[in-house]
Amino acid sequence: MPNREMLLIPGPTPVLDEIYEALSSETYAHTDPRVVKVTLESLEMTRQMFNTDGEVFIVAGSGTLAMEMAIVNTVAPGEKILVLTHGFFGDRFIKLAESFGIAVDSIASPWGQRVDPREVAAKLAGSTYKAVTVTHVDTSTGVQADLDTLVPLVKQHNALFILDGVCATAAAVEDMQHDYGHGAKIDVVLTGSQKAIGVPPGLAIIAFGPQALAARAELKRIPAYYADINNWLPIMKDPSKYFATPAVNMLYAYHRAMQLVLAEGLENRYARHQKLGRAVRAALATYGLVPLAAETVAAPTLTCMQYPEGIVDLEFRKFLAARGVVLAGALASLAGKAFRIGHMGNVTTETLKQAIGLIGEALAAQGRTVDVAAAQAKFSALV
Ligand SMILES: *Cc1c(COP(=O)(O)O)cnc(C)c1O
């Protein structure tokens, strides 16, 4: 029986029965016209979601593969990038790029805050970068990047703007033809299937705008094979051709999930996530938990909540796991001091309300005085 657990980690997220049903449909040949149709429609729906006039790729792999594809297809070894990081996943771009001999400068914010745009402006003025990476929502901190400020800043200097959308896509605006001012646009958006799209883990999804495609063309040979978009381009145009066997059943699931995303409507889905984020944070704050990110920079998809004095993280999460609520621990220096809760994808308000109640009970079990009914009422009033 699927969905017995309240899987509230920041991905994978709860998977709807109808998506599981699609996933378990009969596996046809990857070149079968029925699979070709599902693939082409999936690509089209993805193109719509990102509103791109470039090319979209869906390949078997996790979000990290999509990060790698973004970098190796646009930046050559020896060239330099600027990594803007507000957490663990932003930092991942540093090691990733270095693995390919790419030079890296980075600007890191204190955890829970955004990077300072003045620092970014100074860095961009002082050096030449082929690309700048930005993590839309960093899953370690629950901070959302300010695209309205960063996109124009980066594009002024003609660097490619690469956006890691793994924890934001389908929950926050990622419009690749949106003009952020003087023609500034996002060049690459990458994501994975298992977060706000609501599919099990297994697909890397990435969109390249015209300038990013031109960068790939200029590079000629790159130090990648499976991750080389030139090997995938013919397949995405005609999925009856073969390069490497696609994850047929994952494509069924993704296709169904994307139909649901577009049926809900992108604007509705973004608004729903905004509301969910605010409501979860407000409800949990009544227990004396403190969000790591201020409301002005907080993500719509997940929240990192800091414990009050005296709460033991492992016991707290064990108590909840025994009652079917799975939360994530915090990372790095926050480990033991906070937990992370996802509120994205196809999670229902009913599930979140129940989880908020159980979180109250878990805190009470460690001696904290809480008003569960008041917390749940706060949540319900805001969603
Ligand atoms: C989860 C996540 C990743 C990594 O994705 P995997 O599917 O685990 O490889 C990268 N970036 C962000 C922002 C994420 O949330």
Side-chain angles (χ1 to χ4, degrees):
M1 268 297 288
N3 293 327
R4 288 229 304 252
E5 280 192 345
M6 292 180 249
L7 186 60
L8 299 179
I9 59 173
T13 59
V15 177
L16 296 176
D17 287 351
E18 56 195 295
I19 294 174
Y20 280 127
E21 274 162 31
L23 181 70
S24 63
S25 310
E26 187 173 350
T27 304
Y28 298 135
H30 54 285
T31 52
D32 185 289
R34 291 165 291 190
V35 175
V36 170
K37 182 166 181 282
V38 162
T39 308
L40 288 174
E41 287 176 4
S42 297
L43 289 164
E44 183 49 39
M45 288 188 284
T46 310
R47 196 166 284 125
Q48 266 186 51
M49 177 169 64
F50 293 133
N51 186 32
T52 179
D53 55 352
E55 300 289 348
V56 169
F57 303 84
I58 306 172
V59 304
S62 82
T64 304
L65 173 68
M67 292 170 75
E68 191 156 317
M69 287 174 77
I71 298 295
V72 297
N73 285 286
T74 54
V75 187
E79 291 181 324
K80 188 153 73 166
I81 65 166
L82 176 61
V83 172
L84 306 184
T85 172
H86 48 103
F88 178 87
F89 287 101
D91 292 349
R92 176 165 285 191
F93 274 115
I94 300 173
K95 286 210 171 116
L96 194 162
E98 285 172 352
S99 301
F100 290 94
I102 291 164
V104 183
D105 281 351
S106 64
I107 302 175
S109 66
W111 276 32
Q113 295 173 33
R114 286 174 169 166
V115 294
D116 183 347
R118 285 164 306 186
E119 248 183 276
V120 179
K123 206 78 168 174
L124 286 166
S127 195
T128 301
Y129 298 103
K130 181 72 171 292
V132 176
T133 68
V134 173
T135 312
H136 198 170
V137 168
D138 205 295
T139 317
S140 59
T141 61
V143 171
Q144 181 173 19
D146 177 10
L147 299 182
D148 290 334
T149 304
L150 293 178
V151 179
L153 202 52
V154 167
K155 295 310 294 181
Q156 230 178 17
H157 294 270
N158 233 358
L160 292 166
F161 194 98
I162 296 175
L163 185 66
D164 174 352
V166 181
C167 205
T169 299
V173 183
E174 291 174 336
D175 179 343
M176 296 178 75
Q177 288 188 77
H178 177 71
D179 185 343
Y180 284 88
H182 304 288
K185 290 177 187 167
I186 300 166
D187 295 298
V188 177
V189 181
L190 63 101
T191 197
S193 54
Q194 78 274 26
K195 298 193 183 177
I197 301 173
V199 176
L203 290 180
I205 299 131
I206 185 161
F208 282 72
Q211 209 184 323
L213 290 168
R216 171 65 196 94
E218 272 169 32
L219 291 181
K220 308 215 163 57
R221 221 173 118 197
I222 64 167
Y225 180 64
Y226 185 81
D228 185 349
I229 58 167
N230 277 359
N231 286 327
W232 288 108
L233 212 45
I235 312 304
M236 298 298 137
K237 298 233 180 290
D238 177 4
S240 73
K241 292 204 168 88
Y242 171 76
F243 167 56
T245 312
V248 170
N249 289 61
M250 284 301 298
L251 285 166
Y252 298 159
Y254 180 74
H255 182 263
R256 187 73 198 110
M258 284 304 296
Q259 284 179 328
L260 294 172
V261 167
L262 296 181
E264 181 176 359
L266 290 172
E267 291 309 319
N268 293 337
R269 200 170 173 96
Y270 301 152
R272 175 167 66 82
H273 280 88
Q274 279 292 344
K275 267 208 286 199
L276 279 183
R278 285 201 193 108
V280 166
R281 286 185 292 273
L284 294 179
T286 67
Y287 294 149
L289 297 160
V290 181
L292 176 70
E295 197 56 39
T296 46
V297 302
T301 45
L302 93 138
T303 296
C304 181
M305 294 298 289
Q306 301 167 100
Y307 295 116
E309 203 59 40
I311 300 296
V312 181
D313 172 51
L314 275 182
E315 262 179 53
F316 169 83
R317 284 189 292 124
K318 227 160 95 183
F319 179 101
L320 286 164
R323 287 154 184 81
V325 178
V326 188
L327 299 177
L331 301 173
S333 66
L334 284 173
K337 296 183 191 141
F339 69 88
R340 295 173 300 144
I341 179 168
H343 30 78
M344 68 180 125
N346 296 320
V347 67
T348 64
T349 53
E350 197 40 51
T351 295
L352 286 169
K353 188 175 170 183
Q354 241 180 299
I356 286 162
L358 289 164
I359 287 170
E361 288 176 28
L363 294 167
Q366 292 192 39
R368 182 124 192 126
T369 308
V370 297
D371 185 343
V372 165
Q376 288 182 319
K378 180 124 219 163
F379 176 77
S380 297
L382 291 173
V383 291

